[in-house]
Amino acid sequence: MVDDEDLDAPKGNTPLKIWMGCVVFLLGPSLMVWIVRAVAMAAQCTPGPQLCHGIALGGGLRDALDLAWTVGDNSMFLITVSLIATIAGLLARRPLLAATTLLLLPLAVLMLPMAAVYSAKYSGCYVNDSGIGDCALWGAQMGMSFHAAADVSGQIYGFAPYSFALALMLGLLGWFFARPKAMPHATAHRPRDNIARFRHHDE
């Protein structure tokens, strides 16, 4: 026979699955950028126009950056998906996770690829918001995939105040509804039970 708790278990996991799906969707491309960057660091390839041990590793980094910027370029889309993840965290009764998601996820989506760009920048490699100049890295021209990093700070300043305020409000709201309810103490009815037992014994 199946218990009611077993039937409710999959439903309880659904909000966390939604949360994880949103996080992977937004952070996946940024993590791919850092996978390529980590391969270059592990191979001890100094940033420059030359190939990385005969491999045009810059092409992989450029493609990963283009995908990361596609996900994070639209601030409204970024906040909307982060908000869906936040609501999923609230439905999972995890207000701290929900507030942290809206607070940090949009920042991480933009700052991770930006950090990868500036970690691979070298003298003569141009990164500016005007898109002037180009950067050749490990056998590939990086083009706008590098220049897009210069716009990240302005994009963050545009949505950060609103996302921070919304994260605080939803975090407090979630904590209010998710906090455990006070249960009556088990010993509250013991004196009355003892009196009833005493009378029954006298009879």
Side-chain angles (χ1 to χ4, degrees), residues 121-172:
K121 186 176 178 294
Y122 61 91
S123 179
C125 178
Y126 300 98
V127 177
N128 55 76
D129 54 4
S130 300
I132 300 175
D134 201 353
C135 180
L137 180 67
W138 298 318
Q141 297 293 328
M142 305 310 292
M144 291 303 298
S145 65
F146 261 34
H147 290 306
D151 295 328
V152 168
S153 58
Q155 188 175 351
I156 290 176
Y157 289 144
F159 70 74
Y162 305 101
S163 64
F164 286 5
L166 190 58
L168 179 61
M169 182 186 69
L170 290 178
L172 292 174

Side-chain angles (χ1 to χ4, degrees), residues 16-82:
L16 286 180
K17 291 179 181 179
I18 295 174
W19 177 87
M20 186 174 296
C22 293
V23 171
V24 171
F25 175 74
L26 291 180
L27 278 184
S30 299
L31 295 179
M32 289 174 57
V33 171
W34 271 101
I35 290 175
V36 179
R37 185 68 183 97
V39 169
M41 289 189 290
Q44 297 182 346
C45 295
T46 304
Q50 70 280 356
L51 296 175
C52 178
H53 297 295
I55 302 175
L57 197 60
L61 182 62
R62 180 190 59 214
D63 294 340
L65 282 170
D66 287 340
L67 182 59
W69 298 134
T70 300
V71 172
D73 185 58
N74 190 322
S75 298
M76 183 62 66
F77 175 77
L78 182 60
I79 296 298
T80 300
V81 178
S82 299

Side-chain angles (χ1 to χ4, degrees), residues 190-203:
R190 287 184 179 177
R192 185 178 300 174
D193 295 339
N194 293 335
I195 294 173
R197 291 174 184 171
F198 180 75
R199 289 178 178 174
H200 179 72
H201 179 73
D202 290 342
E203 294 176 356

Side-chain angles (χ1 to χ4, degrees), residues 105-126:
L105 184 57
L107 297 179
V109 170
L110 293 172
M111 295 184 69
L112 284 175
M114 181 188 70
V117 168
Y118 283 102
S119 70
K121 186 176 178 294
Y122 61 91
S123 179
C125 178
Y126 300 98

Side-chain angles (χ1 to χ4, degrees), residues 89-96 170-183:
L90 291 176
L91 293 177
R93 302 181 66 85
R94 301 195 179 183
L96 182 59
L170 290 178
L172 292 174
L173 188 63
W175 174 83
F176 179 79
F177 286 105
R179 63 179 180 176
K181 297 180 180 180
M183 298 296 293

